Amino acid sequence: MTDYQSIETEAELRELLGYPGELVQHKVIGIIDEHCRRFIAQSPILMLATSDQEGHADVSPRGDAPGFVLVLDEHRLVIPERPGNRRMDSLINLLSNPRAGLIFMIPGLEETLRVNGRATVIRDEQLLRSMEAHGRTPLVGIMIEVEECYTHCAKAFKRSRLWNPESWPAKESLPDIPEMIADHVKLPGIGAEQVKTSLHESYTKRLY
């Protein structure tokens, strides 16, 4: 394997890339104010970053209708845990390391909202019932005690042109996910067609 020149210290990194400007240094707040609350209310998807106590990291999406994340007050929000594939990477990580980072996105808006804080996996029935969707109440949720909230600049979205449909690849050129999964799992009798059927059933019958 080729050895590449690496950076080992923050001083080296700062010398190469510099320091944030005054605006960036002062934009972090420690509460969910009205601006953040409105942003979260319009966001149908977020990315949840967690790691276990050894530092093994994971990023997982959470999404539903805009407003699916419940803001309790200036310091707490709750993410309902809808049915997934039962790996529960994020939840298991949080049991050993309760630190979490969130990025909220709104379609068409290139700036995002970042929230960092301390997470708890909760099972409060009354609270979770308030986040019922399609007749189903989540069994657990993720409560975040917010420590930092701030907007993230739009450069990555501008460079990627993520929200511009004209930049999207043709559907026929996209990765074949059933084929990809079948090749990865390498289980006897499990081919792309079986995976496709399983995914269709999961997406149409077990979203909630």
Side-chain angles (χ1 to χ4, degrees), residues 6 16 25 36 39-40 44 46 84-85 96 99-100 110 113 131 133 135 155 166-167 172 205:
S6 62
L16 185 64
Q25 292 183 54
C36 296
F39 196 112
I40 293 169
L46 63 89
N85 58 14
S96 64
R99 315 305 302 187
E110 294 175 326
L113 178 69
M131 291 183 286
K155 288 180 180 177
E166 294 178 2
S167 73
E172 57 269 19
K205 298 180 180 180

Side-chain angles (χ1 to χ4, degrees), residues 51-83:
S51 63
D52 65 17
Q53 58 186 348
E54 274 116 35
H56 300 111
D58 180 76
V59 177
S60 179
R62 295 293 188 276
D64 210 327
F68 76 101
V69 172
L70 177 64
V71 176
L72 295 177
D73 51 42
E74 289 186 331
H75 301 284
R76 298 175 301 165
L77 60 80
V78 181
I79 306 165
E81 185 69 8
R82 308 295 187 201

Side-chain angles (χ1 to χ4, degrees), residues 5 9 29 31 46 85 87-88 108 115 128 133 147 149 156 165:
Q5 185 178 4
T9 68
I29 62 174
I31 62 171
L46 63 89
N85 58 14
R87 280 184 54 107
M88 299 185 291
V115 176
L128 294 170
E147 296 171 348
C149 289

Side-chain angles (χ1 to χ4, degrees), residues 47-149:
M47 299 297 167
L48 168 65
T50 63
S51 63
D52 65 17
Q53 58 186 348
E54 274 116 35
H56 300 111
D58 180 76
V59 177
S60 179
R62 295 293 188 276
D64 210 327
F68 76 101
V69 172
L70 177 64
V71 176
L72 295 177
D73 51 42
E74 289 186 331
H75 301 284
R76 298 175 301 165
L77 60 80
V78 181
I79 306 165
E81 185 69 8
R82 308 295 187 201
N85 58 14
R86 300 191 185 96
R87 280 184 54 107
M88 299 185 291
D89 298 297
S90 301
L91 299 180
I92 292 172
N93 282 348
L94 292 174
L95 295 179
S96 64
N97 177 9
R99 315 305 302 187
L102 313 176
I103 293 184
F104 287 92
M105 293 182 285
I106 299 174
L109 180 63
E110 294 175 326
E111 285 79 13
T112 58
L113 178 69
R114 292 176 59 171
V115 176
N116 298 319
R118 186 176 183 87
T120 305
V121 181
I122 63 167
R123 57 177 302 183
D124 185 273
E125 185 175 346
Q126 182 176 354
L127 179 58
L128 294 170
R129 194 180 302 123
S130 69
M131 291 183 286
E132 176 185 302
H134 295 263
R136 299 290 182 88
T137 298
L139 298 177
V140 298
I142 300 171
M143 179 178 289
I144 305 291
E145 296 178 37
V146 174
E147 296 171 348
E148 294 182 317
C149 289

Side-chain angles (χ1 to χ4, degrees), residues 160-177:
S160 67
R161 302 177 67 201
L162 179 66
W163 300 127
N164 183 354
E166 294 178 2
S167 73
W168 297 350
K171 286 190 176 182
E172 57 269 19
S173 71
L174 296 175
D176 187 320
I177 299 303

